[in-house]
Amino acid sequence: MSAITTHVLDTARGCPAAGVPVRLESLPAGAESAATARQTLGTAVTNSDGRVAALGPDSIEAGTYRLVFDTAAYFAATSQTGFFPEVSLTFTVRDPEQHYHVPVLLSPFGYTTYRGS
């Protein structure tokens, strides 16, 4: 299993958000520019349960990571008009021995997230 996993639930439709493209990026320590230094660690698409289990490496280092969700593609595929074409979540991994699960609750005009288990 990847050290970082996610899932997306469509709260407007009351179901898992299948087919959401997701990208995992890292920002190396000491990088001068966040925009140019980000490295893609993995890409995936949420499954029929809205989950992504295999997104990046099995182990990670302490540091800053970002999950990017292509919500525009999902909204188009489900005939919804969304306000946020992309959801980007930047977070800090302090203990690389732990598993990091970062879910998203999505609707066309809002989203929320939290550190899951």
Side-chain angles (χ1 to χ4, degrees):
M1 177 187 292
S2 299
I4 298 171
T5 57
T6 189
H7 75 268
V8 183
L9 300 175
D10 185 330
T11 58
R13 297 174 64 218
C15 62
V20 179
V22 182
R23 183 174 70 246
L24 174 63
E25 301 173 337
S26 70
L27 176 59
E32 293 186 22
S33 170
T36 59
R38 290 209 182 271
Q39 298 174 340
T40 298
L41 299 178
T43 59
V45 176
T46 57
N47 64 17
S48 62
D49 197 32
R51 295 183 180 275
V52 172
L55 182 57
D58 293 341
S59 63
I60 54 173
E61 297 178 7
T64 304
Y65 294 85
R66 184 169 94 145
L67 284 169
V68 181
F69 300 83
D70 183 353
T71 53
Y74 173 73
F75 290 136
T78 58
S79 301
Q80 298 182 76
T81 301
F83 182 69
F84 298 102
E86 179 179 276
V87 171
S88 297
L89 307 175
T90 303
F91 56 96
T92 302
V93 168
R94 297 195 194 302
D95 182 356
E97 297 301 316
Q98 293 186 20
H99 174 80
Y100 290 83
H101 185 66
V102 186
V104 174
L105 305 177
L106 181 65
S107 75
F109 298 100
Y111 64 89
T112 189
T113 187
Y114 56 95
R115 177 163 179 206
S117 58

